Amino acid sequence: MHEKERAPTPEQAARHAITRYHHDPSCLVQILHDVQDALGWLPPPALTAIAETLGISRAHVEGVAGFYSFFHLEPVGQYRIFFSDNITDRMLGAPKLMAMMCRILNVEPGHRSADGAVTVGTTSCTGMCDQGPALLVNGFPVTRLTQERIREICNLIAARAPVKEWPKEFFLVENNIQRSDQLLKFRLDPGSALKAAVAKGRDGLLAEIHQSNLRGRGGAGFTTATKWEAAKKAPGPERFVVCNADEGEPGTFKDRVLLTSYADHVIEGMTLCAYAIGAQRGFIYLRYEYRYLVPHLEAVLRQRRTLGLLGKNILRQADFDFDVEIRLGAGAYVCGEETALIESLEGKRGTPRIRPPFPVTCGYMGKPTVVNNVETLAKTCLVLAESADEFAATGTPQSSGTKLLSISGDCARPGIYEYPFGIGIAQILEDCGASNVQAVQVGGASGTCLAPYEFHRRIAFENVSTAGSFMIFGINRDMFEVARNFVHFFAHESCGFCTPCRVGTSLLKNLMDKMHNNKGANYDLSEIERLTDILKTSSHCGLGLSAGNPVITTMSKFTDVYVKRLQPFEFEPEFDLDKALARARQITHRDDTEAHFQDEREILS
Amino acid sequence: MSTEISHHKTLSESIPRKPRIATTSLCGCFGCHMSLLDIDERILQLAEIVDFDRSPITDIKHCGPCDVGLIEGGVCNAENVHVLREFRANCKTLVALGACAINGGLPAARNTIDVGECLAEAYCTPAIAIENPGIPNDRELPLLLDKVRPVNEIVRIDYFLPGCPPSGDAIWQFVSALVTRRIPRLSYALIKYD
């Protein structure tokens, strides 16, 4: 995988990576990946060499490297193991397995082992919720973890076996397609949708997409044709198509399946868009957790070039040149937001931009750019290959077509389910074999938490809107812990740009932890409400705006899980005050009464 | 039969009593108190309608029952904790005044450093040429907490008045509302800092 025989110097590694990316500072994230692959981490001299060679500031390089959680600015083990920390992995026992691994390997969670061999930590959802618990080892997913598998992994590490020699079945990622409809049943003959589009012409293609009423599958539901038309009309000679494959919403894994088995659909969709708007370059922005898909995607791209479906004069059209590059993310949920994604593509920290201007007029490098979700792009082929009217006839009048749902959690058959829009929650639960359901979290951490009295509701943009995440919680689950997991997630993933979100998500996390530790009182509950209000009204982007949602919804629908944690006293610090003096006692060699705190309640009585 | 007694009680309670205010600076720079003095001649009006209890202004050492307590500064040592607890126990309404009380402020910059290292740097560094270098350990000195804390991590706080420092006008508007039993509301201009 990425073990190397003799490591190059930081300067050599930097030079090599920069040459590969043609001294282009916008490829900084890719350059950092290359350097880290060569060196195992990003030592300061490498950052300095990158900055000097690219002619950009050292602070910028370190700022970017420090932003993404899979870039390591401290030495890490030769084996870098990150357990997926999504609630569904936790429910399947991930914390116990991680503790077990740490015990066997004698390593502190989040740290490197004393011999420097291994680092064990956690990471946000890796998109393997249907076959968890999962971990990443040196960027490669290991699924279906059991105690036995953990023991085997520990043995392999003890024997210093290179990851590429580990048993293949460890790395098996199944599609788990449980219900196919329009899209998943559709076998695309590569180029056929494109041929149909060329026959209709650019305007004809746009009219067809319009007719289908296709809306963005990334969650927001913006009309695809409107987006494409806006980019086409925007002034300027250059345009870009970006496939948003940064599928980071906890509990979502449909894009993983599409990129695995429907990559032609996705790339053909990108090419259709390029044809419609007149773009020459496209990017697939792939989340780091799906890095194992790169060789496969590269192969599909190569094959399409051979078939004349990418490159110069596609389908022998005089002014139809288009090609696609894969750009790898580095572990940042916020980059799933289209403007943050574009910032990342430009080699910067993934800080969302202020909109307007929207990417369709001012996107990648300030040029008109269409950013579409993987599923949306795949569906454009369907519209072309079949008919727009047929597409529009499926689903509901406002939400045409089908939706892929990534179903995980407490059910008999987790996996991918494709349903026409308008499907009821109760029907979905029946189909996937979920009984005694307490709640369903639709749309991931930032989505909607539904209680049983709402199971008559339907999946559609105008009802329960979702990018595809569908996590099921049985009656034995503690919904407070579910909310706490999501709050931790947002605190970790906040980009740090605006204070309400950077500070607010951390304070919210602290308060939820205080409740968890049975130190919370009524006062803390009102503080939680105040914070969620600040987050909702003052944050810079959608991450902060929705970070309080899991708490707000669980508090209103599952009030008792909060109330039962409330302590009868007015207020108690979350930490032990007397312990907070321990270090000072130690250095001053004092142990007198003044060097200790009495219990506050004793003083007051 | 008990009507008369309660009647008398109500009467005695209804005798106007001046609200009492206490103020203190914990781990702060006294900037918020300087800002309190920036209400200028309005302090005479304030003195007419309130009595000051424990405060640097009165030099009263311990707080009695009060209506309003203003806390400047975060909590950095054991004494700060005792003072803050005294205020909470005595003040009906407790206000975190200014950035340090609300967030820990500048003193909290030491929170990422071990408190032993901080003290060693200050009292044991040869370059500073201190006579008898060594970390002071007199029993009279309050011990430092491992981290500087905002006041609302130690006790319940009723109001937060932001600013570094909050302006004299903001403090005036806030305090005059509180002591006349109105809900304090600050206009945007008074809490806008850039």
Side-chain angles (χ1 to χ4, degrees), chain A residues 570-571 580 583-584 588 590, chain B residues 114 138 141 144 146 152 156:
Chain A
E570 180 187 60
F571 181 88
R583 179 73 177 121
T588 54
R590 281 178 54 185
Chain B
D114 170 63
D138 194 294
L141 296 172
L144 292 184
D146 56 353
N152 73 326
R156 178 174 64 81

Side-chain angles (χ1 to χ4, degrees), chain A residues 370-431:
Chain A
V370 165
V371 184
N372 272 149
N373 180 260
V374 171
E375 186 183 345
T376 316
L377 290 165
K379 286 205 162 123
T380 57
C381 299
L382 198 60
V383 173
L384 262 288
E386 298 185 351
S387 86
D389 290 333
E390 206 175 304
F391 188 92
T394 318
T396 74
Q398 290 157 71
S399 310
S400 64
T402 61
K403 183 78 196 84
L404 298 193
L405 298 178
S406 316
I407 297 185
S408 63
D410 294 320
C411 66
R413 294 174 293 280
I416 295 293
Y417 290 72
E418 184 182 14
Y419 284 109
F421 269 118
I423 178 79
I425 306 288
Q427 182 66 53
I428 299 171
L429 291 173
E430 195 183 319
D431 291 353

